[in-house]
Amino acid sequence: MSTLAESHNPGGHSVTEAARNRRFGPMYSRNVKAVIARGLMATKSSNWMVMLSGFFEPVLYLISMGVGLGAIVGAVQGPGGQEISYAAYIAPALLAVSAMNGAVYDSTWNVFFKMNFAKLYQGMLYTSLGPLDVAMGEIFLALLRGLLYATGFTAVMGIMGLITTPWAILMIPASVLIAFGFASFGMGITSFMKTFQQMDWINFVMLPMFLFSATFYPLSVYPQYIQWLIQAMPLWHGVELLRQISVGIFSPATAIHVGYYLVMIVLGVMLTAGRLRKLFLK
Amino acid sequence: MWVPELVSNEELSSKPSRSKTQGDQMQYVITAKDLTKTYGDVTAVDGISFSVPAGEAFGLLGPNGAGKSTTMKMIGGVSQRTSGSLSIMGLDPESHGPEVRAHLGVVPQQDNLDEELKVRDNLLVYGRYFGLPMSYLRPKADELLEFAQLTDKAKSKVDALSGGMKRRLTIARSLINEPRILLLDEPTTGLDPQARHILWDRLFRLKEQGVTLILTTHYMDEAEQLCDRLIVVDKGRIMAEGSPASLIREYSTREVLELRFGSERNATIGAELEGIGERLETLPDRVLIYAHDGEAALEQVSARGLRPVTSLVRRSSLEDVFLRLTGRSLVD
Ligand SMILES: Nc1ncnc2c1ncn2[C@@H]1O[C@H](COP(=O)(O)OP(=O)(O)O)[C@@H](O)[C@H]1O
Ligand SMILES: [Mg+2]
């Protein structure tokens, strides 16, 4: 009935022996690709509606607000002071929002669910994977999704005639940078979360950030102190960065926006790595 | 001339002792010393020590909350001990987690199969976590599906499997890296008798192939069937250690006479049974008389004019050992 009896030779198989003799640290076994492969395999059975809605949401915003509202608003002032259509004004902002949403969803709700309900990470960590392999694999998957959304959205912008410069192609890597910032931070923050109520705080921060980060109108409508508050938030930097790239007009502020995300990524990864032992190894 | 000779002499004398040290290290695949784990005020594991030689089937027998799962998690390096020392294949699982786990197969108390993947993919993906190549994993997965009698379920979704099938898949998955040590946390809890017997059969085969089995259970028959040696654990402490037979010899008599007099009489009958057998244990629903010869004890009971509602003579089991050690039943 079983063929295992003949071929099973504990510890004797050269391939398993080789796998055992690899060098590992306590946190990391240089096997992020196994986590990524699992994630890709799981997308086959994943909820395509959720995946697609993540792509269509900003597209619908762009059509309704950009085309609909844009008919009333007319042309507005772009980053360099030039006149651009309202749709062209909000499109890069919506791209930044979708990068944020995708990354936050993957790194918070998804991670929270897999951690506390699906027990996926418990299973992974009973293998020779280390916590860092798992974290990096999950962040990579979040970025991959962000990359697909960004590419799709940029294509839609092109079809709608909102792209006027070759620089606009750089919106794609810039979106991944934004997603990386939010994903690494989001995962670190999720490690503190114990209940669904606490997870709701994330929405409580995200929604106002979406509405007020100069997404639909310029920052100048606010009093000075509100402006400072918004400029301290990550999304505003993402919106401004993509808006500048979309028209190919850069300023010293561009470097500040990019720098903001680089710092966010470094701090986020450090926070996550620091929390991992606590998160996984009780 | 005698200088090189001295060197070679030293070599000769040092060689056996060196290989002996090596032999000692190889002898035990797991060594735990004063292993302790506290969660806040709760002491889940309270200073337990044991060693397991390669190829042994070693059991942790104890009631719920005894600290069995916590001990297993510390062995797997996914729970940090509060104090004590632990060595798995010569490595500390806390500082060498991934390396130690490369030698382990783990069947946790609760199945944690990947519900998003199909049955066969669960095996393939799990193997990838160990860094194993697909060329090895594909035939290995088929072989393990065969072993777990799940070949016709290869393309099914995990949540379409019965409890017993999920358990077998979890065990199959734990074997994907050809582990030297298999950790089984209550492998058959919640399974029907037939599914349990299939599983026991699979575990026997693994044992024959030389895999070291570390098994927790609160079923005494499971411990008796599968374990060469076991520790009886209660409240995080080791109450006794030995082979099932030696524990029964040491802590119980050969046979047990179980008598039921009805719930009211049970409590008061003790005095009237005084002197029969070696020891008397009064439980809410029955009275146990420990005796070398159960039938003879039953005759003595009858001779005193006592008429139990039912009587049963059976061999002593680990249940009796546990009762003796703790004054409580193993399964309530
Ligand atoms: N993560 C945890 N946090 C707090 N207490 C725990 C945790 N895990 C186990 N315990 C406690 O430790 C004790 C031993 O639990 P466990 O090792 O699961 O026992 P067993 O597996 O023998 O049933 C129990 O009192 C349990 O409540
Ligand atoms: Mg348990």
Side-chain angles (χ1 to χ4, degrees), chain B residues 46 71 196 213:
Chain B
D46 194 0
T71 305
R196 291 179 75 195
L213 301 180

Side-chain angles (χ1 to χ4, degrees), chain B residues 37-58:
Chain B
K37 173 77 185 183
T38 58
Y39 293 106
D41 304 337
V42 182
T43 303
V45 176
D46 194 0
I48 73 174
S49 304
F50 59 88
S51 299
V52 183
E56 186 174 67
F58 181 79

